[in-house]
Amino acid sequence: MVSLKSFSLFETLTDEQDQRFSAMVRSGDYGANELVLDFDDSSHSVFLIQAGRVRVILRIATGREVILGEFADGEFFGELAAIDGTTRSANVTALTRTRVITVPQSVFLAILRDSPDVALQLMRSMSILIRSLNTRLAEHAFLPAKYRLYSELIRLSRPRKGHDGQRIVSPPPIQLELAERIGCRREVVSREIAKMERENIVERSRGGLILADMNELNRRLSEGWNAGSD
């Protein structure tokens, strides 16, 4: 039997609570590219990722997609529908083979009522999500596509070992996915990355896309925000 306490959201449960509530959940496996949740689905369960990775996507009527985020081992999704009882606002697809723990809505709400510490941890997690979405909303409202690209590359990157001041996006980002993350056409992303390569701001490598000149990238991003405030 899975232990809910192994997930950070529920780590403050007592042993008794853990045993009681863990007996009420179930596990399931999804293959790569398999749909876990669909837009407008009427289910209200919460999903905990035991292993794997999923992507949250919003599709509009014209067929265009916007990537809202990704979740991996130890993280969770689906809490909004569990709380307000409405249909799903996006779809969720497994990126790799993924095992999820399904917590029925009734169990999830019972945990929140029974454990104020879990409820507080949920509020903290939702605050982080709201702040992130607010940042993205501001970028879409005030920044042209190329500046949104700079910001997204920085968000996706991590420090490059052995190269002070450089960062890397690994594995190498797919241009279509970058476009879907920032809400523009793939051609815009392709053109801007090629331009940054010529200017030695980014470099392609087998291991990923290297952000070689972070000072210049941050300077340009600041320039975009300053221009948007004029």
Side-chain angles (χ1 to χ4, degrees):
M1 183 178 71
V2 67
S3 169
L4 288 176
K5 286 185 68 172
S6 64
F7 296 89
S8 60
L9 176 62
F10 299 116
E11 64 185 2
T12 57
L13 289 174
T14 66
D15 290 341
E16 183 279 327
Q17 289 172 323
D18 185 37
Q19 292 178 7
R20 176 159 46 96
F21 291 121
S22 293
M24 303 177 187
V25 305
R26 64 183 186 276
S27 63
D29 294 305
Y30 295 85
N33 301 315
E34 186 175 352
L35 188 67
V36 180
L37 281 177
D38 203 0
F39 175 79
D40 228 17
D41 191 297
S42 59
S43 65
H44 300 117
S45 297
V46 175
F47 297 85
L48 312 172
I49 303 177
Q50 191 170 23
R53 191 173 190 87
V54 302
R55 174 172 289 161
V56 184
I57 301 172
L58 177 63
R59 290 189 175 95
I60 60 176
T62 60
R64 292 185 62 185
E65 298 180 351
V66 176
I67 297 174
L68 298 180
E70 295 177 359
F71 298 101
D73 299 16
E75 297 182 305
F76 62 94
F77 59 93
E79 72 280 5
L80 296 183
I83 292 171
D84 63 18
T86 59
T87 57
R88 304 292 182 177
S89 56
N91 69 37
V92 181
T93 301
L95 293 177
T96 63
R97 183 168 180 78
T98 300
R99 167 160 286 198
V100 299
I101 307 302
T102 303
V103 183
Q105 180 190 33
S106 58
V107 176
F108 183 69
L109 296 180
I111 293 173
L112 297 184
R113 296 187 185 101
D114 209 42
S115 176
D117 287 338
V118 172
L120 180 59
Q121 179 60 35
L122 176 65
M123 286 189 286
R124 287 171 176 157
S125 296
M126 294 182 73
S127 294
I128 293 171
L129 177 61
I130 291 169
R131 290 179 189 277
S132 174
L133 292 176
N134 284 346
T135 297
R136 289 176 178 271
L137 177 61
E139 289 174 357
H140 279 270
F142 300 116
L143 297 180
K146 68 176 183 179
Y147 296 106
R148 300 201 302 273
L149 176 61
Y150 303 156
S151 184
E152 189 65 21
L153 288 175
I154 293 172
R155 257 195 301 267
L156 293 173
S157 68
R158 65 174 188 273
R160 188 185 181 203
K161 292 182 180 179
H163 297 80
D164 290 343
Q166 292 189 353
R167 298 180 68 85
I168 186 170
V169 182
S170 181
I174 298 172
Q175 291 181 356
L176 178 59
E177 291 182 1
L178 283 174
E180 290 172 348
R181 286 178 179 276
I182 64 175
C184 72
R185 299 189 311 277
R186 184 191 63 80
E187 293 77 12
V188 175
V189 171
S190 178
R191 184 170 60 248
E192 189 58 33
I193 288 181
K195 182 173 182 290
M196 287 192 288
E197 280 189 275
R198 293 193 299 270
E199 297 169 336
N200 298 317
I201 297 172
V202 302
E203 301 172 7
R204 296 180 192 268
S205 74
R206 182 175 299 179
L209 183 68
I210 299 167
L211 309 186
D213 191 343
M214 285 301 300
N215 288 334
E216 177 60 16
L217 201 56
N218 281 312
R219 187 197 67 78
R220 291 187 180 191
L221 184 56
S222 295
E223 176 185 77
W225 281 114
N226 291 333
S229 63
D230 289 343

